Amino acid sequence: MQVTMTVNGVEYSREIEGRMLLVHFLRDVLGLTGTHWGCDTSNCGVCVVWMDGEPVKSCTVLAAMAGGHEVRTVEDLADGAELDPIQEGFRQCHGLQCGFCTPGMLMTCRALLDKNPDPTEGEIREAISGQICRCTGYSSIIRSVRWAAVHEATSAREQQEVAAQ
């Protein structure tokens, strides 16, 4: 079957099998390997991408279901060489170790910060509760999200001050 979707701002149209999962479409057809594939059961969350601005586990979405929709992957977070604040937070606060869960965590945490720019520890824990990290114990991930929240707020204030001058 033919499927057309926008991925990271680019429209793609490809012939696929109707049973192909979105995670395999992104990785195997488009070559966007930043989205990891872990369990196929939606338990681990390493495959989280956005579909129409909402985080989804791409191992449970058929590529055909994403047809006509806008998909965003971890490859789209950075702006050229400039990391997204959530990526920089993970770098600064050691929010990643082996890196396997990181793409899904980044996408989930970016969505959280877009909806709630100043989340509490409990809100961060709730947001990432559908994802498994076997390395960090989650403390460094929570610190990373808080770092990003603080730095985004500081940057926004600085931009407002410059604009007011």
Side-chain angles (χ1 to χ4, degrees):
M1 68 179 298
Q2 187 76 19
V3 67
T4 301
M5 69 183 78
T6 302
V7 179
N8 299 335
V10 178
E11 185 174 280
Y12 294 94
S13 199
R14 298 289 192 276
E15 188 72 28
I16 62 163
E17 286 188 41
R19 64 184 179 177
M20 178 178 273
L21 295 172
L22 180 57
V23 66
H24 296 303
F25 180 79
L26 295 169
R27 291 180 58 80
D28 302 336
V29 176
L30 300 185
L32 298 171
T33 57
T35 301
H36 290 170
W37 174 43
C39 66
D40 274 343
T41 61
S42 82
N43 288 321
C44 71
V46 303
C47 66
V48 170
V49 299
W50 293 3
M51 191 162 76
D52 296 335
E54 292 296 321
V56 297
K57 293 179 179 179
S58 62
C59 74
T60 61
V61 175
L62 293 172
M65 294 167 62
H69 294 277
E70 200 165 306
V71 176
R72 185 176 185 205
T73 70
V74 70
E75 285 92 347
D76 196 43
L77 284 182
D79 184 12
E82 186 176 334
L83 295 177
D84 182 274
I86 195 64
Q87 291 171 306
E88 185 63 29
F90 269 62
R91 189 177 81 76
Q92 292 290 331
C93 300
H94 310 288
L96 62 112
Q97 289 187 16
C98 81
F100 192 68
C101 73
T102 304
M105 284 285 186
L106 289 171
M107 296 305 289
T108 297
C109 294
R110 176 74 266 155
L112 169 64
L113 290 176
D114 286 351
K115 289 180 181 166
N116 179 357
D118 189 26
T120 65
E121 179 178 332
E123 290 167 330
I124 297 167
R125 286 185 181 279
E126 183 178 336
I128 64 173
S129 65
Q131 297 180 267
I132 296 173
C133 175
R134 290 178 172 91
C135 299
T136 66
Y138 301 96
S139 296
S140 57
I141 292 170
I142 293 164
R143 278 194 307 276
S144 299
V145 177
R146 291 296 311 140
W147 186 98
V150 167
H151 284 80
E152 280 187 348
T154 301
S155 177
R157 277 194 305 275
E158 290 170 353
Q159 289 172 9
Q160 287 174 349
E161 290 171 6
V162 168
Q165 293 176 356

